[in-house]
Amino acid sequence: MQGILVADKPAGWTSFDVVAKLRRVLGTRRLGHSGTLDPMATGVLPVFCGGASKAVDLQLDHDKTYRAVLRLGCRTDTGDVTGTVLECAPVTAGEAELIAALPRFVGPQMQTPPMYSAVKVNGQPLYKAARQGLTVERKARPIEVYGIEYGGSPAAGEYVLTVRCSKGTYIRTLLEDIAASIGQLGAMSGLRRTRAGLFTEADAHSMEEIVAAGEKGPDALAALLLPVERVFEPLPLLQVDGPTAARLYNGCPTSRYPAAEGRYRVRDEAGQFLGLAKVAGGALRVEKLFVERTE
């Protein structure tokens, strides 16, 4: 079974919990996921199944969109409301000050990963050191926030923000920094990922739906899978003839190929997606295949 199963991660599950469950449901260990979510977070978690797992690191779009809730008044050791409260203070700013501050956080910037994160320093995830009460020196990393939209206040002192950002952005840290910029303490009280790369909530299936499909059988599960080609849809399509497809299968270049220089997603004459290839110096060369050759 090959394809991309977009799970709607439930609150309280780790991303690993989702993958472990799907290994049992799908009956395969060849799974990879794109973009870890905190246990408290919900939303879009693309899981790459079977041969599609080779596409995890080849994705063209790693950007994310989140709907987050900032709660003013306290800060915690984890940066969200699941952690231990370290400090509280009266809230002296509100909606107007928050909205005025948001443009300052849009654009390229450097961000220091939080201690409660999976980033490894000297081979050890930071969260393991944090659980031991240790603080490890971290290097700031480049990220980019493409936009922040204000979404209202569902309760006193709480504000909804939709954040469009690059891979590697920690929303908890961003919210803490936004709160600090208006002289407040803050922590994240809710987080939902609504987009991961090319995949959105419209593509996602609940764990209950996935388990129910697994009980019905392979055909029901296969109906939930998106084709691996979906990851590469932004690339131009190249349809090749039989002899060219055979050379791609064998890793042999096709010289003087009549196509513009660049990277392509490739299909054969029957319309089957083969994989990725590049035209460089007039020669067509395979980059990655997602089909196995059949005699």
Side-chain angles (χ1 to χ4, degrees), residues 70-75 93 97-98 101-102 105 161 172-188:
L70 167 62
R71 180 182 296 174
L72 298 180
C74 294
R75 69 179 182 92
E97 292 84 359
L98 178 68
L102 296 182
F105 293 89
L161 300 174
R172 288 172 288 150
T173 300
L174 178 65
L175 296 189
E176 285 182 315
D177 291 344
I178 291 172
S181 75
I182 57 174
Q184 307 299 301
L185 301 177
M188 186 175 74

Side-chain angles (χ1 to χ4, degrees), residues 1-7 19 22-23 26 28-35 45-62 196-199 225-232 290:
M1 191 170 292
Q2 174 172 292
I4 300 160
L5 181 54
V6 183
V19 171
L22 293 183
R23 279 181 177 143
L26 295 166
T28 179
R29 296 193 61 80
R30 293 183 68 193
L31 297 180
H33 72 274
S34 177
L45 181 67
V47 179
F48 293 67
C49 312
S53 60
K54 296 183 291 185
V56 172
D57 296 326
L58 295 173
Q59 293 178 84
L60 306 176
D61 186 347
H62 289 278
L198 298 176
F199 306 103
L225 296 178
L226 297 171
V228 66
E229 186 178 3
R230 170 79 178 272
V231 178
F232 307 113
F290 290 92

Side-chain angles (χ1 to χ4, degrees), residues 32-267:
H33 72 274
S34 177
T36 301
L37 283 172
D38 291 339
M40 75 171 290
T42 65
V44 177
L45 181 67
V47 179
F48 293 67
C49 312
S53 60
K54 296 183 291 185
V56 172
D57 296 326
L58 295 173
Q59 293 178 84
L60 306 176
D61 186 347
H62 289 278
D63 295 338
K64 310 289 194 298
T65 301
Y66 296 93
R67 186 167 61 248
V69 182
L70 167 62
R71 180 182 296 174
L72 298 180
C74 294
R75 69 179 182 92
T76 71
D77 58 350
T78 61
D80 59 48
V81 295
T82 68
T84 301
V85 174
L86 300 177
E87 183 183 4
C88 289
V91 177
T92 57
E95 183 178 79
E97 292 84 359
L98 178 68
I99 292 173
L102 296 182
R104 285 181 260 161
F105 293 89
V106 175
Q109 55 202 271
M110 300 297 290
Q111 186 184 68
T112 302
M115 278 301 301
Y116 280 89
S117 68
V119 173
K120 290 184 178 180
V121 175
N122 297 324
Q124 176 173 287
L126 286 172
Y127 67 81
K128 289 189 176 181
R131 288 171 181 169
Q132 297 170 16
L134 304 175
T135 299
V136 177
E137 184 178 354
R138 291 97 71 203
K139 292 183 179 179
R141 306 188 305 178
I143 64 162
E144 185 166 1
V145 175
Y146 307 117
I148 308 177
E149 286 79 45
Y150 176 65
S153 178
E158 288 200 336
Y159 303 95
V160 177
L161 300 174
T162 296
V163 180
R164 294 179 290 108
C165 58
S166 64
K167 174 184 179 181
T169 302
Y170 284 92
I171 304 299
R172 288 172 288 150
T173 300
L174 178 65
L175 296 189
E176 285 182 315
D177 291 344
I178 291 172
S181 75
I182 57 174
Q184 307 299 301
L185 301 177
M188 186 175 74
S189 62
L191 183 67
R192 179 168 179 79
R193 185 158 67 196
T194 59
R195 183 178 71 90
L198 298 176
F199 306 103
T200 69
E201 289 176 296
D203 300 310
H205 304 279
S206 69
M207 294 304 294
E208 292 81 5
E209 183 182 358
I210 294 169
V211 170
E215 292 171 349
K216 293 177 182 176
D219 289 345
L221 273 176
L224 301 183
L225 296 178
L226 297 171
V228 66
E229 186 178 3
R230 170 79 178 272
V231 178
F232 307 113
E233 282 181 351
L235 291 176
L237 174 64
L238 189 67
Q239 194 151 14
V240 299
D241 59 23
T244 303
R247 284 192 288 273
L248 289 172
Y249 279 127
N250 291 317
C252 300
T254 300
S255 301
R256 296 188 295 277
Y257 194 81
E261 304 268 309
R263 195 179 188 202
Y264 294 88
R265 56 189 169 99
V266 183
R267 293 181 188 169

